[in-house]
């Protein structure tokens, strides 16, 4: 059983924190999978194989989104940043700075 997601002694962490750590690990794994599929899709020449990989990547998008939502519901400051940065047009760095200000108000 892997415990690499724990940075502190697992037996000293609450169940809630251990669950949070597992979801963070899932988020990392989903992000890696999205990146791996992106590379495979870009090189694949067989249309059917490419379609399978695209379908699989779409599943990883969903998994990533669910894990991110889980984490954001447990951290109001993170949720404040996400609300300010995600799904807005304009300069991403500027949105990030605005998100940081929103975070400070939570
Ligand atoms: Fe996944």
């Amino acid at each position: 059983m892997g415990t690499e997601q724990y940075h502190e002694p697992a037996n000293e962490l609450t169940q809630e924190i251990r669950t949070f750590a597992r979801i963070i690990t899932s988020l990392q794994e989903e992000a890696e999978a999205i990146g791996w599929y992106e590379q495979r899709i870009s090189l694949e020449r067989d249309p059917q194989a490419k379609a399978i990989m695209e379908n699989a990547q779409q599943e990883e998008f969903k998994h990533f989104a669910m894990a991110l939502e889980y984490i954001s519901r447990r951290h109001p400051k993170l949720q404040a940043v996400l609300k300010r940065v995600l799904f807005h047009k304009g300069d991403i760095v500027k949105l990030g700075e605005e998100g940081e200000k929103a975070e400070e108000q939570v």
Side-chain angles (χ1 to χ4, degrees):
M1 183 170 145
T3 57
E4 292 175 9
Q5 70 264 32
Y6 301 122
H7 205 66
E8 300 296 330
N11 62 341
E12 294 181 28
L13 300 172
T14 66
Q15 182 61 48
E16 183 181 27
I17 296 298
R18 282 184 278 163
T19 296
F20 187 83
R22 285 192 288 269
I23 292 290
I24 288 284
T25 299
S26 292
L27 187 67
Q28 293 170 325
E29 291 169 351
E30 304 305 346
E32 285 179 346
I34 290 167
W36 293 334
Y37 279 120
E38 193 75 8
Q39 292 178 44
R40 291 174 194 158
I41 290 164
S42 75
L43 296 178
E44 185 52 57
R45 295 180 180 175
D46 181 302
Q48 187 68 84
K50 189 171 189 168
I52 292 168
M53 291 178 214
E54 287 171 343
N55 183 280
Q57 189 188 43
Q58 287 170 20
E59 284 290 312
E60 306 305 350
F61 291 152
K62 176 185 73 179
H63 298 161
F64 182 89
M66 291 189 300
L68 182 60
E69 178 65 14
Y70 182 92
I71 292 163
S72 76
R73 288 183 185 186
R74 279 148 188 82
H75 277 280
K77 286 181 179 284
L78 172 60
Q79 196 168 66
V81 174
L82 292 175
K83 282 181 179 174
R84 194 62 202 104
V85 173
L86 298 180
F87 313 115
H88 296 284
K89 293 184 190 295
D91 184 80
I92 296 171
V93 172
K94 186 171 182 241
L95 291 170
E97 290 168 354
E98 292 172 8
E100 190 173 13
K101 290 175 187 162
E103 179 185 355
E104 291 167 359
Q105 295 171 0
V106 174

